[in-house]
Amino acid sequence: MPKTALIIVDVQNDFMEGGNLAVGDSRSIIDPINALRENGRYALIVLTQDWHPADHSSFASNNEGAEVMSTITSPTGLPGVAWPDHCVQGSEGAEFYADLKTKNTDVVVRKGTDTAVDSYSGFMDNDKQTKTDLEKILRANGITHVHIVGLAADYCVGFTALDAVDAGFNATLFTDCTRPVGADSWGEMQAKLAEKGVTLTESV
């Protein structure tokens, strides 16, 4: 019998309208995500949380002369984006958005804690060297299928879905429950998701 988990990716203040790294139209995903979690069909609900140290290497402010959203090289040699400071550990921007319904039974998985490497996926850092506890948690709960929602579609949500398939889970991404940073990058991510076998559909 399949057991399904809902993975809510990075629905944090800094990614909402008015935040340091705001994703356009992000408030529109809150009601459908809340509706999903209230239907009672999920064996487990996981919240991922970007949780960066203030000196994180992906921040433009920590790369002398780098413009926000330009391409930079991380200390590990990977190309990356020079992001505005966001989701700094302990900051208001790192807190979950107040209108997102949460419960004390939700499992929180923090990512992006290593200063030297960014972490888009909820499963592991971008260098593929260090995993979070997400896969272990899903396995411990007998999960076979994951439904993935949150922010942003072309980065953290998409990469979480790709890694879910690589880890052996059946993955579905609900397109009405996510929004992208950019149209071009979302188009590229959709192609990767389709090639990997991720199901893209609406939640209703």
Side-chain angles (χ1 to χ4, degrees):
M1 184 80 177
K3 289 181 72 175
T4 305
L6 178 63
I7 302 176
I8 304 173
V9 177
D10 298 3
V11 181
Q12 296 165 258
N13 290 331
D14 269 341
F15 297 125
M16 306 299 295
E17 284 97 337
N20 286 353
L21 184 46
V23 178
D25 195 35
S26 50
R27 287 197 184 97
S28 68
I29 72 173
I30 299 301
D31 285 347
I33 291 176
N34 286 340
L36 267 180
R37 65 165 303 147
E38 288 177 347
N39 69 19
R41 63 175 163 172
Y42 293 108
L44 182 70
I45 294 178
V46 179
L47 307 174
T48 72
Q49 186 178 27
D50 240 9
W51 195 249
H52 296 307
D55 61 348
H56 199 271
S57 61
S58 71
F59 293 169
S61 63
N62 294 323
N63 290 267
E64 188 175 354
E67 294 185 11
V68 170
M69 303 304 290
S70 65
T71 299
I72 57 174
T73 302
S74 76
T76 60
L78 291 174
V81 177
W83 300 110
D85 292 19
H86 65 279
C87 299
V88 173
Q89 296 175 6
S91 69
E92 183 180 351
E95 293 176 4
F96 294 117
Y97 187 59
D99 290 347
L100 176 72
K101 293 185 178 177
T102 60
K103 295 183 179 179
N104 58 13
T105 52
D106 296 344
V107 176
V108 176
V109 173
R110 288 175 168 169
K111 61 189 184 68
T113 59
D114 185 338
T115 300
V117 60
D118 214 347
S119 187
Y120 296 154
S121 169
F123 284 90
M124 66 186 73
D125 289 345
N126 290 1
D127 64 1
K128 305 292 187 182
Q129 298 301 307
T130 304
K131 290 186 176 184
T132 69
D133 289 333
L134 180 54
E135 181 179 350
K136 187 189 306 181
I137 290 164
L138 297 174
R139 299 263 183 239
N141 284 274
I143 299 299
T144 55
H145 292 59
V146 292
H147 291 171
I148 302 168
V149 301
L151 297 169
D154 41 349
Y155 287 96
C156 297
V157 171
F159 281 105
T160 297
L162 294 173
D163 283 348
V165 174
D166 284 343
F169 300 100
N170 182 298
T172 297
L173 192 159
F174 289 131
T175 55
D176 58 321
C177 297
T178 187
R179 292 291 182 272
V181 172
D184 289 347
S185 50
W186 177 219
E188 293 171 5
M189 177 57 74
Q190 284 177 292
K192 292 178 184 177
L193 293 165
E195 183 179 359
K196 187 71 75 171
V198 176
T199 300
L200 282 83
T201 187
E202 294 198 351
S203 64
V204 291

